[in-house]
C-alpha cells in the first residue's frame, strides 16, 4: 500500500549503510537508530530460519496453534506500547495505531485457528485412493511497507507461520521499530528462536538479498507497482512464488439516487485516513451530475473541519506524511492556484500537507489517474451508469472502490463491472482479516487474508495409492 517512495528492492547501485535513522514524521527528530542488515546478514538469517522451520513444521499442529495464540495474547498485553511506537515512527494517529495493533493480535488468533484446519482432500480415482497434502514452502520473505508497518507485516507473517513456514521480515527503512518489537514479543511468547526474524535494512541491500536468495521460497511484497514489477522479474529467474499488493487509484462512485449527505460526509476520511497514504484511498470521487452541486455543498465544509495535527492527540483525525520526499511528491501534483477545497495543517517542523479536493480536472489529468499517496482527491462528474464504469476502470490499477446507490440492482451491476478486487456498497470498508484482499490489473497478484490465506503458503502434493497391487 505504498507509492513510488515505498520500501524497495531497487536495481540501482547504492552505498551500503550500517545504521538506519528513524525520524518522527511529526517533528523530524531522530527517535531511534537501528543496525542495518547486510547481504551477509540475510544469508545467515536464511540458514538459521531453514533450520528452525524444519522443527516447526514437524511440531504437532495443536502446539503450533497454541504458540500463535500465545503470541497474540502477548501482543495484546503490549497493545499501548506498540501503538505508541507506531505513532512515533509512522506518524499515525493514536486511535489508528491502537486499531492496527489490535489487527495484528486478531490476525494471529485467526491464523492460529487455521493450523488444525489446513487439510488436503481425498479425490475419487479408479484403482486406488488419491489424497492431497498441503506442505509448507519453507522460508518466506515478507517485505513490508511504511504506510501500515504493523498490520501489513502481519498479513504475510501470521498465515505463513501458521502454515508451518519460517518468516524473514524486512520492514521499511523508515519504520522498523514495531517489527523489531514484534520479533521480541514472539520470543517472549515461546516461538522458537530464528523462526521469525526481522531484518531492518535498505531495499537495494537487504531487500534484494532476500528476493534473490535461493533459500527463500516465496516473497510477499507490499509497495509500489514499479518496485513490485522488479521483484517479480527477479523471482521469475528461480520461478519463486510471489504475492504482490501494489498501487491503487480507487474510485468512490456516487449516484444521484444515493443518500448524498451520507456519501459526502463519508468521503473525506475515505481518502484522508493515514494522510492518504493508503492505496485503498478513494482518491477519485465520481459524482453523477444531477447530485454534483449538492454533494460539493456538503463535502467542502466536511473537508475543512478535518482535524490535522499531533498524532498523539486523541482529537486528531489526520497526521503528517511519512517523509520530506513524500511531501514533495504530493505537492508536485497540486499546481499553485488549482481549483480546490482545502483544509488546514500545522506549519513548522513535520511533514504536513492539508486535506485537498481538486475540482475542474480533466479525467486524464495526472492527479486524477496517478497514485499520489497523500491527502489529495479529485472530484469528477459523470453522466450515467455506463459513464461511471468507464471512468472507474480508466486506470492501470484495480484494488478497491466504493459504490453509493439505493438501487440494489445497480449496486450489483456496477460491482460486477468495476475492475477491482475489493468493493464496498454504501460504505468505504476494504480490509477485514477474515475476507480476501488483493487487486486486479497492476494492483497486484494473489490474495492475502481470509480463509484461504494459509494455503497460499503451501505446496499441494498429490499422492496416489494403488489398491490393486
Amino acid at each position: 500500500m505504498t507509492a513510488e517512495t515505498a520500501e524497495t528492492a531497487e536495481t540501482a547501485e547504492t552505498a551500503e549503510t550500517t545504521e538506519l535513522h528513524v525520524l518522527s514524521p511529526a517533528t523530524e527528530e531522530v527517535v531511534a537508530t537501528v543496525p542495518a542488515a547486510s547481504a551477509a546478514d540475510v544469508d545467515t538469517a536464511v540458514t538459521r530460519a531453514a533450520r528452525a522451520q524444519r522443527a516447526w513444521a514437524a511440531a504437532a499442529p495443536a502446539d503450533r496453534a497454541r504458540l500463535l495464540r500465545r503470541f497474540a495474547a502477548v501482543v495484546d498485553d503490549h497493545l499501548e506500547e506498540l501503538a505508541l511506537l507506531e505513532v512515533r515512527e509512522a506518524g499515525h494517529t493514536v486511535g489508528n495505531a491502537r486499531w492496527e495493533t489490535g489487527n495484528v493480535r486478531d490476525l494471529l488468533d485467526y491464523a492460529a485457528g487455521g493450523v488444525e484446519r489446513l487439510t488436503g482432500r481425498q479425490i475419487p480415482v479408479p484403482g486406488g485412493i488419491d489424497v492431497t497434502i498441503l506442505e509448507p514452502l519453507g522460508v518466506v520473505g515478507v517485505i513490508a511497507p511504511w504506510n501500515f508497518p504493523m498490520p501489513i507485516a502481519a498479513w504475510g507473517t501470521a498465515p505463513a507461520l501458521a502454515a508451518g513456514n519460517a518468516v524473514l521480515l524486512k520492514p521499511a527503512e523508515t519504520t522498523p521499530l514495531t517489527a523489531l518489537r514484534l520479533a521480541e514479543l514472539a520470543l517472549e511468547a515461546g516461538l522458537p528462536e530464528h523462526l521469525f526474524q526481522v531484518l531492518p535494512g535498505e531495499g537495494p541491500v537487504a531487500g534484494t538479498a532476500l528476493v534473490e536468495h535461493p533459500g527463500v521460497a516465496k516473497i510477499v511484497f507490499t509497495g509500489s507497482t514499479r518496485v513490485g514489477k522488479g521483484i517479480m522479474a527477479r523471482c521469475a529467474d528461480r520461478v519463486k512464488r510471489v504475492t504482490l499488493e501494489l498501487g491503487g487509484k480507487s474510485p468512490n462512485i456516487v449516484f444521484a439516487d444515493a443518500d448524498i449527505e451520507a456519501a459526502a460526509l463519508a468521503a473525506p476520511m475515505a481518502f484522508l485516513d493515514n494522510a492518504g497514504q493508503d492505496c485503498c484511498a478513494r482518491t477519485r470521487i465520481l459524482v453523477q451530475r444531477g447530485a454534483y452541486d449538492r454533494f460539493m455543498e456538503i463535502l467542502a465544509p466536511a473537508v475543512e473541519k478535518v482535524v490535522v495535527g499531533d498524532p498523539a492527540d486523541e482529537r486528531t483525525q489526520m497526521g503528517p506524511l511519512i517523509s520530506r520526499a513524500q511531501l514533495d511528491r504530493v505537492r508536485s501534483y497540486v499546481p499553485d492556484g488549482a481549483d480546490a477545497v482545502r483544509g488546514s495543517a500545522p506549519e513548522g517542523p513535520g511533514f504536513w500537507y492539508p486535506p485537498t479536493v481538486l475540482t475542474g480536472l480533466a479525467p486524464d489529468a495526472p492527479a486524477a489517474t496517478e497514485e499520489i499517496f497523500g491527502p489529495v482527491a479529485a472530484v469528477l462528474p459523470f453522466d450515467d451508469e455506463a459513464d461511471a464504469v468507464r471512468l472507474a476502470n480508466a486506470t492501470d490499477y484495480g484494488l478497491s472502490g466504493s459504490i453509493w446507490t439505493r438501487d440494489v440492482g445497480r449496486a450489483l451491476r456496477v460491482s460486477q463491472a468495476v475492475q477491482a478486487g475489493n468493493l464496498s456498497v454504501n460504505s468505504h470498508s476494504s480490509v477485514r482479516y477474515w475476507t480476501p484482499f488483493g487487486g486486479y490489473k497492476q494492483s497486484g497478484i494473489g490474495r492475502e487474508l481470509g480463509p484461504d490465506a494459509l494455503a497460499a503458503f503451501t505446496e499441494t502434493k498429490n499422492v496416489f495409492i494403488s489398491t490393486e497391487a
Side-chain angles (χ1 to χ4, degrees):
M1 288 187 178
T2 64
E4 289 299 317
T5 54
E7 175 55 24
T8 66
E10 300 278 8
T11 57
E13 298 275 335
T14 185
E16 186 171 337
T17 61
T18 58
E19 291 182 331
L20 302 177
H21 300 290
V22 182
L23 300 183
S24 162
T27 66
E28 303 185 52
E29 296 174 339
V30 176
V31 296
T33 300
V34 302
S38 66
D41 294 328
V42 172
D43 185 58
T44 299
V46 172
T47 300
R48 291 170 173 170
R51 190 179 305 119
Q53 186 273 330
R54 289 191 290 271
W56 177 248
D63 293 335
R64 296 207 309 268
R66 190 176 300 110
L67 284 171
L68 288 174
R69 291 192 182 96
R70 192 179 300 163
F71 187 10
V74 173
V75 169
D76 191 50
D77 290 341
H78 293 81
L79 190 149
E80 191 70 9
E81 174 198 346
L82 288 165
L84 293 178
L85 268 182
E86 194 87 320
V87 171
R88 288 173 62 199
E89 70 173 352
H92 292 188
T93 62
V94 67
N96 279 8
R98 289 178 183 134
W99 177 89
E100 290 161 31
T101 310
N103 185 257
V104 174
R105 172 203 60 210
D106 294 343
L107 183 53
L108 285 166
D109 262 332
Y110 182 75
V115 174
E116 295 168 284
R117 295 170 178 80
L118 190 62
T119 58
R121 295 179 297 173
Q122 187 271 316
I123 302 172
V125 293
I129 295 174
D130 195 275
V131 296
T132 63
I133 302 168
L134 300 183
E135 297 182 342
L137 297 172
V139 178
V140 172
V142 176
I143 302 177
W146 48 257
N147 62 327
F148 291 101
M150 268 197 296
I152 295 181
W155 292 5
T157 298
L161 290 173
N165 301 281
V167 172
L168 300 179
L169 167 62
K170 203 206 84 61
E173 291 103 320
T174 51
T175 54
L177 302 183
T178 50
L180 288 166
R181 186 64 180 128
L182 284 172
E184 293 172 350
L185 296 178
L187 290 174
E188 183 179 322
L191 265 68
E193 189 177 14
H194 305 313
L195 183 70
F196 172 39
Q197 301 174 63
V198 173
L199 299 166
E202 295 181 314
V205 180
T208 296
L210 194 61
V211 169
E212 296 183 346
H213 200 291
V216 175
K218 178 174 181 173
I219 293 292
V220 179
F221 172 78
T222 298
S224 73
T225 297
R226 177 178 61 85
V227 176
K229 289 177 180 179
I231 288 175
M232 189 175 179
R234 282 189 172 94
C235 289
D237 187 53
R238 293 185 177 276
V239 197
K240 184 176 296 188
R241 283 110 180 99
V242 293
T243 294
L244 304 176
E245 199 271 281
L246 308 175
K249 191 68 176 177
S250 301
N252 179 11
I253 308 170
V254 182
F255 288 95
D257 70 343
D259 183 334
I260 300 302
E261 182 175 7
L265 290 175
M269 294 314 297
F271 75 92
L272 296 176
D273 189 51
N274 199 27
Q277 298 168 128
D278 180 353
C279 56
C280 288
R282 274 55 166 183
T283 53
R284 290 187 301 145
I285 306 174
L286 313 180
V287 185
Q288 196 162 16
R289 291 188 191 278
Y292 187 90
D293 290 343
R294 176 60 180 153
F295 182 90
M296 292 304 297
E297 286 175 1
I298 301 170
L299 177 68
V303 169
E304 293 164 356
K305 290 177 183 177
V306 172
V307 179
V308 182
D310 180 2
D313 189 326
E314 301 278 356
R315 298 167 295 179
T316 296
Q317 294 173 278
M318 189 185 106
L321 293 165
I322 188 67
S323 66
R324 178 68 57 186
Q326 191 62 20
L327 177 59
D328 292 342
R329 174 184 170 83
V330 173
R331 284 174 172 161
S332 73
Y333 279 93
V334 185
D336 294 338
D339 292 335
V341 174
R342 290 183 173 86
S344 59
E347 298 181 357
F351 309 122
W352 305 99
Y353 195 84
T356 302
V357 177
L358 299 171
T359 58
L361 292 178
D364 60 352
T369 59
E370 298 177 12
E371 185 177 45
I372 299 173
F373 225 62
V376 178
V379 181
L380 303 171
F382 67 85
D383 294 317
D384 53 22
E385 190 173 307
D387 194 28
V389 170
R390 179 186 62 80
L391 284 172
N393 290 337
T395 171
D396 290 334
Y397 299 114
L399 188 58
S400 63
S402 296
I403 302 159
W404 292 79
T405 178
R406 288 188 172 98
D407 185 330
V408 175
R410 169 176 283 158
L412 292 173
R413 286 193 305 273
V414 176
S415 294
Q416 291 174 319
V418 172
Q419 298 166 345
N422 308 271
L423 294 169
S424 297
V425 176
N426 296 328
S427 74
H428 294 302
S429 175
S430 291
V431 184
R432 298 177 179 87
Y433 62 82
W434 61 94
T435 59
F437 179 78
Y440 282 35
K441 300 190 284 188
Q442 294 192 36
S443 283
I445 288 178
R447 291 296 182 269
E448 297 180 283
L449 308 176
D452 300 323
L454 273 65
F457 294 95
T458 65
E459 290 278 22
T460 299
K461 178 177 286 183
N462 194 79
V463 179
F464 170 72
I465 303 170
S466 174
T467 57
E468 297 180 350

